[in-house]
Every structure is written in C-alpha cells, then in structure tokens.
C-alpha cells in the first residue's frame, strides 16, 4: 500500500507536488491552530461559566438559608410566647365561644411572628383544644378568606403530623407534596384552587403544662414559587437553563425549568455524595454544565443545569470562519504556486536543453545570465562549466602532444645511473693517480649523495638518512667556501628513526651559507638541533651567526605560491604533508643572524 502511494506520488509533476505541499503545510497548521484555539477558548469559557454558576448557587443557598432560618427563629420565639402559653393552658376547658376566640387569638399570634417573613403562603397551628388556627379568616379584613384550608382530622393522619411528633420539638422541613394526597382529599381534585403543590415546615410547640395532653403543632406552608425571587439570576434565565431544589431522599421541592431534565439530572447524580461540586454531562441528547450545592440548614440540594450552547454560542462561528479562511488561503497558495512554478519550470527546461546540447558534444553554449536569483547563478555556473570543459579538452590535447615530444626527448637523452657512477669512479681513479686527494674525497661525497638520491624515491626519509646526506652536502659546500663555516649537530636520539620530508634541512643551510656568510671570510657558525616536546611534537632549530636580513621579507621567503626550490618550496612541501599541523617560523634581523624553527607533529 505504501509502495503504491509512493509510486503514485513519484508520477506527479513538480507543480502538483508543490501545490500539494503548499496546501498541506499552509492550511494544515491553520486548521490545527484554529481547532486548538477553539478548544482552548471553549474550555476556558466553560470553566469560567462553571465558576460563575458555582458562585451563584452558593449565593442562592445563602439567601434560602437566611429565609429558612428566620422561620426557625420565629418558631423558637413562638415556643416561649407567654400569651400562647396562657391560651394553651387555660384554667378550665374553653366553651364553643372560647374555642372560636382562642383560635382567632392563636392566628393573631402566628401572624405576629410570621406575617413579616416574605414568601410564607399560610401559617396554621394544630391543637387539642381549639380549631385549626389559620383556617379562620381575619375578621379585621372585610370579605377576607383564609389563604388555605388544613383539615383538622386529616392532618392528624398525615405525614406532616407524624414527622412533627417524631422530631419532638425540632423544626422539620417536608419537601413538595400534593395537597390532596397529603390529606387524603381525593374529592378535591376537581376543585380549582391555587395551592395544588406545597412544601411545609412543621414543629411541635412544647408549651403545655399537662404532659397528658397533645402538644400543639405549627404548620408553615409555602408554594414552590417561594424560591423564585431567591434563586432567580441572569445566568439562570438563559435558554434551556433549569434550577431544582431536592430533598435528601431525592424529593423535588422546587423546579424552575424542565422537570423531565430534573429527573435525568437526579439519576445522573445519584452516586454523588459530596455536598457541592460541578460536572459536564450529556442529558437528553444535549451537553450541560451542572453545578450543585447543599443547604447546610436543611440538607437540601440546589441543582443548576445550563446547556453549553448558552455560553458557547459566540464560538460556534469560529469553525466556519476557519474553514473560509483556509479555503481563501488555499486559493491564494495555488495561484502563487502556479506563478512560481511556471518560472521555475521554464528556467529548468532552459538548463536541461543546454545540458542535452553539451552532452551531444556542442560546446561554448551561453545561457542567459540576466537574473540574480538561483537560476541566474545556475546559468553562470553552467556557462563556466562549459568553458572549463572546453578549455580542459584543448589542454588535454596539448598535453598529449607534449607527452609525445617528451617521450622522444627522453629516449634521446636517457641517462643510465650506472653509467654516471662508473664515470665518477673513473674520474676518482684519475685523481688518485694524480695525487689530488681533495678531488677524490669530493667525488666520493658526491657519489654518496647521488646514490642516496637515486635509491630513495619517497617524499620522506628518516632523520638519520637526511643527516647522512646533509653531511656529504656540507663537505662539498665547505670545499666551495674554503672552510668559512662550521656546523654543530645536536639531535635527540629519539628523533633519529622518525620520518621527515626529504632534504628538509638542506634548503635552510644552503640559504644560510650562500646568503648569510657571503660577506664573511671565516667564523661562520651553524647550530642544528632537534628535541621532542612533552606533547610529542618534534622541534628542529637551525641557528646561524650570519648577516641576517630584514624581518619584512620573511613572508615573501615563505610564500608557497612563489617559484623556487628554497624555503618557499620547503614550506609548500610541509603544507602538503602536514596540512595545518606544522609550523615554520623565521626569526632574523640584519647583522644578528637568523633562526629557523620547524615544528612537526608526533609520528
């Protein structure tokens, strides 16, 4: 599969490949950055929204608890109210008129404690000697009717009654219930009234002196919309937002929004035991931000669910914008690639055509060099290559002609080394017969030099071999200059068998003898010494007491480009053999002699 893809890509034209690469590396980063930016923005937005919802929920719980605590405090004050205590502990059982009067007085006492608390729908008190206080309208208000009716006998059979008796004197909050079901008044279902659902707080008021009597029970009832004014917030008014208050046993106390969503939310959070928290979950095929917080006073939980789109709606246009930007970028890149590749292909075709003509043997092809870009440079290099090839062909032809001529001359002038040695031997015997011992010695040294030169064809030799050759050379030079100089050789024994360039010392000594001692009749001294440094480098020092020369000429003397066989030739040979691992330095001054130091790498 991969091989097939590679083969298909290989068949694509240069323009197609460049378009593909431009689109891939031009659009892909844009899409990736847009996706990463979208995801990052989404996460930040949802995190901030979650923090905001958590704060709103905590604030709402504080407001709810403050209201509920006021009711608890009022109930506590009612327990120690002296007027209520007197009414509930009469000296003699009240008659019918006393029952009516007492019920109204209890209602007045209840209103005194609870009327000022906003949100209370109705307030009743169940007693064993009076009617259900709160079922009687206030006579001070004409045509008034009670807020709601709590049946006396049915209340005694209700869950509210049992909860209050079991608590013994503690305020108990009962979650939302259906009025008819609580009191068993099924016949009331056909009656249209304004309190089909309620939630209540009940408390046994322990104020009787006679323990054989039933303690009265306070019933404070609320409509579920009691929480509307407390939990309402701009964040909870978003499209699809819902708020719920549930009891410890998952009973629904208050619902603002979709009740079906509340059931799904309770199921999803059934395993959550923490008092507060948040989550992102999918409910009814939609993503929601969910936060919850527990009322410490009642143990109820407030649940808030807001769909994600309420916060991320402003980001929904980002993917479309990224897609549109990518499409525009793709069009621009395609046009740029087509324009650029047209110029590239045209120049490439010109160079390829020139190479084809060159391959066919056509030389001196001149490509246009007007442009200063890479193709202009390529054209210039091609033209230079063409000219160089043509020059090399001509030069090769001329070299072959010279080689033929050299072969003919070599045949004519070939000299056999044995013929030269025999000739020098004949001259030496002639000098012996004539008694010319100096000539005999000079010819002997010259013969040694020639034999060593002919035998050793290598570029290097040992220090010992070079010194032997040098001694023969110095003998002949002393004859020539009538013993004007003396040479002192001091060589570290460790250097004797190391290899150095052939005739390394000769150019230096010849330069000293010929130029340094030319104005001296006698007394010339040359010191040649060699030593090994700690790092293994070999150092050779040649010092004389000759006339010296101007230090400014040192660079010209060592110039490797200069013609000659002296110090410049030696420097050139050292450079070829050792690259940049050697040093050749000359220290001189007029009238103060010359010192040459050669430093070679370890062998």
């Amino acid at each position: 599969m991969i091989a097939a893809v590679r083969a298909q890509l290989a068949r694509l034209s240069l323009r197609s490949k460049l378009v593909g690469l431009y689109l891939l590396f031009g659009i892909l980063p844009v899409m990736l950055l847009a996706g990463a930016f979208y995801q990052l923005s989404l996460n930040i937005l949802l995190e901030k929204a979650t923090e905001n919802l958590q704060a709103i929920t905590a604030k709402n719980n504080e407001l709810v608890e403050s209201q509920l605590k006021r009711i608890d405090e009022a109930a506590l004050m009612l327990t120690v109210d002296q007027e209520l205590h007197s009414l509930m502990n009469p000296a003699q059982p009240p008659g019918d008129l006393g029952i009516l009067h007492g019920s109204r007085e209890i209602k007045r006492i209840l209103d005194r404690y609870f009327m000022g608390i906003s949100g209370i729908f109705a307030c009743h008190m169940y007693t064993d000697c009076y009617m259900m206080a709160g079922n009687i309208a206030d006579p001070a208000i004409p045509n008034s009717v009670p807020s709601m009716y709590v049946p006396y006998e049915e209340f005694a059979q209700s869950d509210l009654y049992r909860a209050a008796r079991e608590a013994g004197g503690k305020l108990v909050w009962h979650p939302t219930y259906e009025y008819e079901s609580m009191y068993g008044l099924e016949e009331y279902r056909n009656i249209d009234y304004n309190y089909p659902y309620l939630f209540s707080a009940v408390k046994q008021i322990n104020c009787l002196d006679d323990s054989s009597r039933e303690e009265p029970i306070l019933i404070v009832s609320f409509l579920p919309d009691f929480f509307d004014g407390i939990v309402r917030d701009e964040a909870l008014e978003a499209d699809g937002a819902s708020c719920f208050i549930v009891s410890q046993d998952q009973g629904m106390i208050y619902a603002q929004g979709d009740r079906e969503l509340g059931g799904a939310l309770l199921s999803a959070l059934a395993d959550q035991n923490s008092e507060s928290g948040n989550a992102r979950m999918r409910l009814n095929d939609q993503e929601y931000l969910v936060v919850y917080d527990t009322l410490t006073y009642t143990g109820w939980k407030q649940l808030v669910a807001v769909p994600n789109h309420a916060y991320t709606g402003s980001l929904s246009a980002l993917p479309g914008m990224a897609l549109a930007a990518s499409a525009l970028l793709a069009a621009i890149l395609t046009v740029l690639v087509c324009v650029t590749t047209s110029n590239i292909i045209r120049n490439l075709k010109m160079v390829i055509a020139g190479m084809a003509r060159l391959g066919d043997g056509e030389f001196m092809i001149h490509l246009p060099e007007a442009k200063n870009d890479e193709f202009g440079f390529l054209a210039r290099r091609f033209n230079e290559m063409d000219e160089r090839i043509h020059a090399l062909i001509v030069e090769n032809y001329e070299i072959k002609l010279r080689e033929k001529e050299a072969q003919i001359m070599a045949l004519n002038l070939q000299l056999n080394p044995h013929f030269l040695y025999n000739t020098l031997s004949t001259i030496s015997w002639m000098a012996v017969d004539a008694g010319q011992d100096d000539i005999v010695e000079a010819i002997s040294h010259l013969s040694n030099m020639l034999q060593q030169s002919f035998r050793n064809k290598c570029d290097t030799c040992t220090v010992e071999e070079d010194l032997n050759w040098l001694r023969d050379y110095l003998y002949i030079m002393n004859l020539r200059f009538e013993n004007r100089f003396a040479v002192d050789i001091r060589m570290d024994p460790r250097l004797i068998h190391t290899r150095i360039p052939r005739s390394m010392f000769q150019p230096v000594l010849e330069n000293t003898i010929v130029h340094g001692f030319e104005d001296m009749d006698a007394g010339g001294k040359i010191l040649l010494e060699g030593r090994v440094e700690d790092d293994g480098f070999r150092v050779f020092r040649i010092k004389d007491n000759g006339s010296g020369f101007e230090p400014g000429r040192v660079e010209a003397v060592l110039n490797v480009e200069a013609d000659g066989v002296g110090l410049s030739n030696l420097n050139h040979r050292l450079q070829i053999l050792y690259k940049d691992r050697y040093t050749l330095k000359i220290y001189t001054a007029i009238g103060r002699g010359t010192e040459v130091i050669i430093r070679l790498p370890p062998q």
Side-chain angles (χ1 to χ4, degrees), residues 134-167:
N135 283 345
I136 303 174
D138 189 347
I141 303 175
N143 301 320
S144 66
V145 294
S147 300
M148 65 172 289
Y149 176 77
V150 177
Y152 186 86
E153 294 181 359
E154 286 77 0
F155 174 78
Q157 306 299 320
S158 68
D159 292 337
L160 293 176
Y161 177 87
R162 285 190 290 274
R165 292 299 182 205
E166 289 173 1

Side-chain angles (χ1 to χ4, degrees), residues 244-313:
F244 309 97
I245 296 179
V246 298
S247 63
Q248 296 93 321
D249 57 359
Q250 305 296 305
M252 187 69 69
I253 297 173
Y254 171 75
Q256 174 190 328
D258 186 359
R259 281 182 171 271
E260 183 180 350
L261 176 65
L265 187 57
L266 289 176
S267 300
L269 295 175
D271 298 331
Q272 295 289 342
N273 297 322
S274 58
E275 293 186 353
S276 63
N278 61 79
R280 298 180 192 177
M281 56 181 63
R282 190 171 185 81
L283 303 170
N284 299 340
D285 298 326
Q286 193 171 356
E287 297 292 334
Y288 281 87
L289 286 179
V290 176
V291 299
Y292 56 91
D293 194 27
T294 303
L295 282 80
T296 55
Y297 180 66
T298 61
W300 298 347
K301 275 187 179 180
Q302 181 184 175
L303 310 175
V304 175
V306 181
N308 287 5
H309 66 74
Y311 299 101
T312 61

Side-chain angles (χ1 to χ4, degrees), residues 452 456 459-463 465-466 498-503:
Q452 186 173 344
N456 191 354
D459 293 332
T460 62
C461 64
T462 65
V463 172
E465 291 172 344
D466 205 44
T498 63
R499 300 190 72 83
I500 60 175
R502 284 184 61 191
S503 303

Side-chain angles (χ1 to χ4, degrees), residues 146 201 214 280 427 435 489 558 564 569:
E214 270 191 308
R280 298 180 192 177
I427 296 172
I489 299 177
L558 295 178
N569 178 272

Side-chain angles (χ1 to χ4, degrees), residues 495-567:
L495 293 173
I496 294 299
H497 299 292
T498 63
R499 300 190 72 83
I500 60 175
R502 284 184 61 191
S503 303
M504 185 177 77
F505 304 121
Q506 184 271 336
V508 182
L509 269 66
E510 181 179 9
N511 191 69
T512 297
I513 296 168
V514 173
H515 301 291
F517 299 153
E518 64 180 347
D519 296 329
M520 297 174 62
D521 294 330
K525 294 181 180 180
I526 300 175
L527 173 64
L528 169 58
E529 64 176 359
R531 69 179 188 279
V532 180
E533 294 185 337
D534 294 338
D535 57 1
F537 271 75
R538 299 168 294 166
V539 178
F540 302 94
R541 176 171 169 258
I542 303 101
K543 184 177 181 181
D544 65 70
N545 62 346
S547 59
F549 57 94
E550 294 179 358
R553 293 181 52 209
V554 170
E555 185 176 352
V557 169
L558 295 178
N559 184 10
V560 296
E561 302 296 333
D563 296 332
V565 294
L567 291 177

Side-chain angles (χ1 to χ4, degrees), residues 2 63 140 202 213 216 247 277 324 330 344 355 364 414 531 580:
I2 296 176
L63 294 175
V202 291
R213 293 176 55 194
S247 63
I344 293 174
M355 294 175 67
M364 301 307 291
Q414 187 176 26
R531 69 179 188 279
D580 57 351

Side-chain angles (χ1 to χ4, degrees), residues 66-82:
S66 66
Q67 288 292 89
L68 300 183
K69 283 183 179 179
R70 289 186 62 192
I71 295 167
D72 194 9
E73 291 169 357
L76 287 173
M77 295 297 295
L78 183 64
T79 302
V80 296
D81 187 272
Q82 292 300 320

